Amino acid sequence: MTHTFVTGTATHIGGRDSNQDAWLVSDGLFAVADGLGGLQDGEVASRLTLDTFDAAFTADRTVSGLLGACREANRAVWRQANGQDATMGSTLAVLAMTSDAAAIVLHVGDSRLYRLRNGRLEQLTHDHTVIADLMRAGELSESDAQTHPYRNVLTRAIGVAPEVDIDHSGASCEPGDRFVLCSDGLFKVLSTDELKVMLASEVEPQRSADQLVANAVKREAEDNVTAVIIDVH
Ligand code: MG
């Protein structure tokens, strides 16, 4: 089944000195990357991740091509970091329309994909962070997680090792669905309920993306904030 997509994108530097978030809206390929590293290194890493990923997936739109594109992005950032003797990396959250298995969600790190369907908001990724692992194991409550000393520590990222573990799965995708890709700067200041209310109250995707990011920034978001909205028709 072929869908058409209408998208909206917004990003903001938040309280940081540079915006290390990056987004991608391409042919049947949507992604957010949140760079890690020193001032320019994080920016380089997130952009390189998305550019490499986009080019490789465009050449092979199968699921195996999608996974290969992620590994290629990982190698590109790893090589760049080693070449500059810098520490850099990136998260990557992707919604991709593959040629052999329809919609696939793929992610590394703590950027997220949500789907709003019939008024219900579902998170389709689970964060690769120390605290998310502890919460899944029942060893940490949600309120304790907010002050945990390791709350910003990722367990996986693009470009920090020669190989990367990738999570991917099929994503049911129907007309009327609204998908949201976002960096942690958004969901760390807006609760899931607030996200749901905001997403459901604005029909037009660009205005909705602008509204999400503006509301996060109003909460004095310390981090960069990025949202990509994908409406399925
Ligand atoms: Mg961030």
Side-chain angles (χ1 to χ4, degrees), residues 21 34 183-185 223-224:
D21 284 358
D34 178 347
S183 60
D184 64 330
D223 200 359
N224 309 143

Side-chain angles (χ1 to χ4, degrees), residues 85-175:
D85 206 15
T87 302
M88 63 169 75
S90 182
T91 70
L92 177 64
V94 175
L95 177 67
M97 304 302 134
T98 61
S99 56
D100 54 348
I104 298 283
V105 48
L106 172 153
H107 80 291
V108 175
D110 68 348
S111 297
R112 290 182 180 174
L113 176 70
Y114 294 90
R115 181 183 55 219
L116 181 72
R117 175 180 286 173
N118 299 326
R120 202 171 144 253
L121 188 67
E122 191 180 351
Q123 186 183 327
L124 303 182
T125 51
H126 58 82
D127 302 344
H128 297 138
T129 59
V130 171
I131 57 165
D133 285 354
L134 289 172
M135 284 167 68
R136 270 195 296 280
E139 288 168 18
L140 189 70
S141 71
E142 198 164 347
S143 56
D144 288 343
Q146 297 185 358
T147 54
H148 196 280
Y150 294 157
R151 64 188 175 282
N152 294 320
V153 178
L154 299 180
T155 52
R156 300 188 203 178
I158 297 284
V160 297
E163 301 297 328
V164 64
D165 265 345
I166 306 162
D167 277 356
H168 77 288
S169 59
S172 159
C173 173
E174 295 173 0

Side-chain angles (χ1 to χ4, degrees), residues 9-16 18-23 183 185-186 209-210 212-218 220-227:
T9 58
T11 189
H12 193 282
I13 192 168
R16 292 273 164 88
S18 66
N19 193 344
Q20 308 195 338
D21 284 358
W23 54 265
S183 60
L186 188 82
D210 287 338
L212 287 185
V213 170
N215 281 328
V217 171
K218 246 187 265 165
E220 295 181 25
E222 287 171 30
D223 200 359
N224 309 143
V225 185
T226 300

Side-chain angles (χ1 to χ4, degrees), residues 53-104:
F53 190 82
D54 186 22
F57 180 66
T58 302
D60 179 356
R61 303 185 62 94
T62 63
V63 177
S64 117
L66 185 74
L67 294 170
C70 188
R71 285 191 286 266
E72 205 166 304
N74 183 71
R75 279 192 298 272
V77 176
W78 173 247
R79 273 197 304 265
Q80 177 86 16
N82 284 343
Q84 289 184 7
D85 206 15
T87 302
M88 63 169 75
S90 182
T91 70
L92 177 64
V94 175
L95 177 67
M97 304 302 134
T98 61
S99 56
D100 54 348
I104 298 283

